[in-house]
Amino acid sequence: HGGTPVKERQKLVDQFQAPGGPPFFLLSVKAGGTGLTLTAASHVIHFDRWWNPAVENQATDRAYRIGQKRNVLVHKFVCKGTLEERIDQMICEKQELAENVLGEGSETLLTEMSDSELLKFVALDVSRATLDE
């Protein structure tokens, strides 16, 4: 959860990475996304979905480090009708938007936009923002 002192973290990681070490290592997404290398992991399970897809990706990437010799499976727990489902939908929408804006060749288009085109792109659509659903 991030409250473990830095020196203690490395000891826990070393124990997990060692042959015969614990079978799993439980971290919060935020703690898992900060400077840990877990190449002994073969599964990453997201119990606590995060609003920002980059935070989840960073946590997942702790298992995809130099030295990883295994396939790594990523699992994300999402139950219908829950906050996690809404977070999952939002993450998918953000990733789709990022792909549409920054996908293949789009970087050039974005940098070639005029000032007015760029302002229109990032402007708030007041009519949509004030709709009651």
Side-chain angles (χ1 to χ4, degrees):
H1 55 74
T4 304
V6 174
K7 290 181 180 179
E8 184 64 24
R9 289 179 198 181
Q10 192 55 52
K11 288 179 190 173
L12 294 170
V13 169
D14 291 344
Q15 289 173 351
F16 174 70
Q17 302 277 91
F24 59 89
F25 196 24
L26 186 62
L27 309 161
S28 71
V29 169
K30 291 295 276 186
T34 54
L36 299 176
T37 298
L38 301 170
T39 54
S42 58
H43 291 265
V44 174
I45 302 171
H46 290 284
F47 291 100
D48 55 339
R49 302 301 309 274
W50 202 258
W51 300 98
N52 182 345
V55 172
E56 280 194 349
N57 292 343
Q58 181 70 17
T60 298
D61 287 347
R62 299 299 96 202
Y64 290 108
R65 307 314 273 170
I66 294 171
Q68 178 58 270
K69 294 177 175 52
R70 304 174 182 199
N71 290 328
V72 177
L73 299 175
V74 179
H75 310 273
K76 297 177 182 186
F77 289 164
V78 179
C79 295
K80 288 185 178 223
T82 64
L83 175 62
E84 282 74 21
E85 182 182 38
R86 291 192 302 274
I87 291 171
D88 186 61
Q89 289 169 344
M90 185 178 58
I91 288 170
C92 290
E93 290 168 4
K94 282 183 173 185
Q95 288 172 325
E96 184 179 335
L97 176 62
E99 181 58 34
N100 289 339
V101 172
L102 301 173
E104 281 185 46
S106 310
E107 297 90 352
T108 307
L109 292 175
L110 192 61
T111 59
E112 292 175 2
M113 284 183 177
S114 68
D115 289 348
S116 61
E117 289 171 322
L118 190 56
L119 285 171
K120 184 179 177 183
F121 179 72
V122 298
L124 174 65
D125 182 345
V126 176
S127 63
R128 286 186 42 92
T130 58
L131 282 178
D132 289 333
E133 291 187 17

